[in-house]
Amino acid sequence: MNFGRQVAEFCRRDLLTERRAGEVISIVTPFGAVALMSFPLAFGIDSALISRVGPAVFWVVVFLFTMQIALRHSAAERPHQRAVIALLGVDPFARLMGRTLAAAVLILVFMAVLFPAMILFYSPDLPEAWPLALVPGVLAGIGLAQVGTLAAEITAGLRTRTTLAPLIVAPLAVPLLIAGSQALESLASGGSILPWTVLVVATDLALAVIGAAIARPLEEASL
Amino acid sequence: MSKPTPWLRVLQLLALVAVAVGLAMALRAPVDAFQGEYSRIMHVHVPTSWLAFLAFGITALGSIVWRIRRHRRWDRLASASAELGVLFTAMSLATGSLWGGAVWGTYWDWADPRMATTALMFFVYLGYLALRRTTDDPETAASRSSLLGIIAVVQVPLVYFSVNLFRSLHQTQSIRPDGATMPTEMLVAMLANLAALTVLYVALLATRMWVMRREEAVALEPAAGTGVVPPRLEEVGDA
């Protein structure tokens, strides 16, 4: 089986497991929507303020819930599963990429559900060219999947995995949060999305290089 | 319990003397005409920032060598240096914030990329230390944390060059290859503090590595009560 097939198989396996478990669709996404609703309740009835902060709150919720998606219980492999995969001679980077792709698909679905919810709850004054912000937005979602999967792999099998991984992920993913949220701000003020797209592409590429470099040591460490 | 070696004692004493001399020089150095007495904070702030970078660099180096050689010594070096890096970063953030409150009129400014990136670096290394504490097996801790130690060091150049890359409140580097932007007396006091705090870093690093070695030795020794076997329920029932 070549590299591409291995990546596709891991992605397919994770998505099938998610379809059966329904962890992201039926638990994390509604919880994300509740989080999105809780901010206006805390801000009070200042509708101008709520409208202004809507896109930023959307990105904060995506940023925080990404970790829940990357660390979902249904995606956690048991030690014997990892041992079998390693013994089969599967390329560790293919495994990492496959899992990242699956996480990226789930994060993009999460974002696709939450964005209309944000427009509904916050009524933000979106610029006419707002669809352009989807480019850095989608790329930021992929980057969040990369950093979340890396943290999930580093903490695989540890007792405090679900609490520790977000501590590692959050500071490393900040460029993605900034790029995702500022792209829309930039369009609103008549600016360009190019600098933010470059930032998010550079971060995604750096994370991909790191993933390729440490995939094998990561596999050894988690066995 | 073994005692620290004589050279470690000498190093600790030397560090105390060096820090005392450095602080005395900082208090005697001339002050900036605009900042007044607050400029003395810089004699601690700048060296602690540099030492944080050095400490995280040593963590990455120890992590890389551990992955190649698999000797405990390198993991102890990486871990001890990360602890000190976190300590120096906290000192740098605290002194920078105090100075900012007095001179800029704000303790924290989100528009300043140097402050934001330094705080992020601090939290990533807190994560590194937390990762090490999640397992009792030193090999597992070393294996996982070495990867994070190598990844996380990427932030160091980002933090250092953030003042050149982005517009910010923070001034650019005062000491550059083409010369310093401060009077010689102030520069000498700052470099003296850098030397003193470097000696302190080396002394603390050596002490922490010695403590870690002792902890590992103690963990291997049989603990009191290890030989006591509680009676099993079947045995109690049989009696």
Side-chain angles (χ1 to χ4, degrees):
Chain A
M1 196 185 276
N2 64 22
F3 182 83
R5 277 291 305 279
Q6 290 182 17
V7 172
E9 278 303 313
F10 275 104
C11 179
R12 198 173 72 91
R13 184 203 64 173
D14 273 15
L15 291 176
L16 274 176
T17 313
E18 166 54 29
R19 197 177 74 179
R20 287 179 194 143
E23 208 176 333
V24 173
I25 302 301
S26 61
I27 302 170
V28 179
T29 306
F31 190 21
V34 170
L36 210 52
M37 281 175 69
S38 62
F39 280 91
L41 295 174
F43 285 137
I45 53 165
D46 187 347
S47 54
L49 175 68
I50 290 169
S51 169
R52 207 166 61 240
V53 299
V57 171
F58 163 78
W59 274 105
V60 170
V61 170
V62 167
F63 177 67
L64 295 175
F65 279 75
T66 291
M67 292 158 222
Q68 292 229 337
I69 294 172
L71 296 168
R72 65 198 184 279
H73 186 68
S74 55
E77 287 167 340
R78 278 149 194 79
H80 64 271
Q81 289 175 303
R82 304 177 79 90
V84 167
I85 291 166
L87 285 171
L88 284 171
V90 173
D91 187 332
F93 184 50
R95 190 176 143 278
L96 190 70
M97 265 196 78
R99 309 207 67 192
T100 305
L101 269 181
V105 169
L106 295 172
I107 287 169
L108 293 177
V109 168
F110 177 78
M111 288 165 71
V113 173
L114 251 65
F115 191 71
M118 182 273 289
I119 291 175
L120 179 72
F121 297 147
Y122 292 80
S123 308
D125 192 13
L126 292 176
E128 269 184 30
W130 72 265
L132 281 177
L134 290 175
V135 177
V138 168
L139 291 169
I142 294 168
L144 288 169
Q146 284 181 294
V147 78
T149 309
L150 272 177
E153 291 292 312
I154 287 177
T155 56
L158 296 177
R159 288 189 306 267
T160 50
R161 177 174 181 259
T162 47
T163 44
L164 176 63
L167 178 61
I168 298 170
V169 173
L172 290 174
V174 162
L176 300 167
L177 170 77
I178 295 171
S181 56
Q182 290 304 307
L184 209 54
E185 283 283 313
S186 182
L187 283 175
S189 58
S192 162
I193 58 160
L194 189 64
W196 305 113
T197 310
V198 170
L199 174 63
V200 79
V201 167
T203 311
D204 283 3
L205 285 177
L207 287 168
V209 170
I210 289 169
I214 69 164
R216 194 167 293 280
L218 255 181
E219 185 184 69
E220 287 168 18
S222 60
L223 283 176
Chain B
M1 185 72 171
S2 66
K3 289 183 175 158
T5 52
W7 74 263
L8 186 55
R9 291 273 193 219
V10 170
L11 192 59
Q12 290 168 340
L13 195 66
L14 190 66
L16 280 177
V17 173
V19 170
V21 171
L23 288 178
M25 286 181 76
L27 290 171
R28 289 178 63 86
V31 295
D32 181 86
F34 168 66
Q35 299 167 25
E37 292 294 324
Y38 294 112
S39 65
R40 296 191 197 282
I41 296 175
M42 286 296 117
H43 295 300
V44 178
H45 174 70
V46 175
T48 50
S49 306
W50 285 351
L51 280 166
F53 297 151
L54 173 74
F56 294 143
I58 297 286
T59 295
L61 181 73
S63 301
I64 292 167
V65 180
W66 183 86
R67 293 216 71 85
I68 298 166
R69 307 285 290 271
R70 303 279 165 154
H71 194 290
R72 293 280 317 129
R73 177 194 310 156
W74 297 105
D75 178 54
R76 284 195 288 265
L77 175 72
S79 169
S81 193
E83 288 178 9
L84 293 171
V86 167
L87 174 74
F88 282 119
T89 309
M91 284 173 70
S92 168
L93 284 170
T95 51
S97 183
L98 281 174
W99 181 87
V103 178
W104 290 343
T106 175
Y107 290 102
W108 193 269
D109 183 38
W110 281 112
D112 182 49
R114 174 64 73 84
M115 290 171 106
T117 52
T118 305
L120 290 175
M121 183 172 75
F122 176 72
F123 285 113
V124 168
Y125 280 95
L126 277 186
Y128 171 93
L129 296 179
L131 179 65
R132 292 194 65 86
R133 280 163 180 74
T134 53
T135 173
D136 297 328
D137 178 26
E139 282 298 306
T140 309
S143 177
R144 295 183 188 225
S145 63
S146 63
L147 295 172
L148 188 56
I150 296 166
I151 297 171
V153 80
V154 174
Q155 299 171 102
V156 170
L158 184 71
V159 174
Y160 184 76
F161 290 110
S162 59
V163 285
N164 307 101
L165 293 172
F166 307 100
R167 277 174 298 174
S168 76
L169 265 179
H170 210 287
Q171 63 267 51
T172 54
Q173 292 87 356
S174 302
I175 302 170
R176 303 171 199 161
D178 57 337
T181 58
M182 64 175 82
T184 310
E185 297 92 331
M186 287 173 79
L187 179 65
V188 168
M190 188 172 285
L191 291 178
N193 274 285
L194 175 65
L197 288 171
T198 306
V199 176
L200 179 69
Y201 164 74
V202 173
L204 289 174
L205 187 70
T207 307
R208 185 69 185 109
M209 286 175 72
W210 176 81
V211 170
M212 284 176 172
R213 210 164 44 242
R214 286 299 306 147
E215 283 172 348
E216 286 167 18
V218 168
L220 291 174
E221 288 170 6
T226 306
V228 179
V229 181
R232 289 185 299 178
L233 278 177
E234 311 89 80
E235 289 169 357
V236 175
D238 291 345

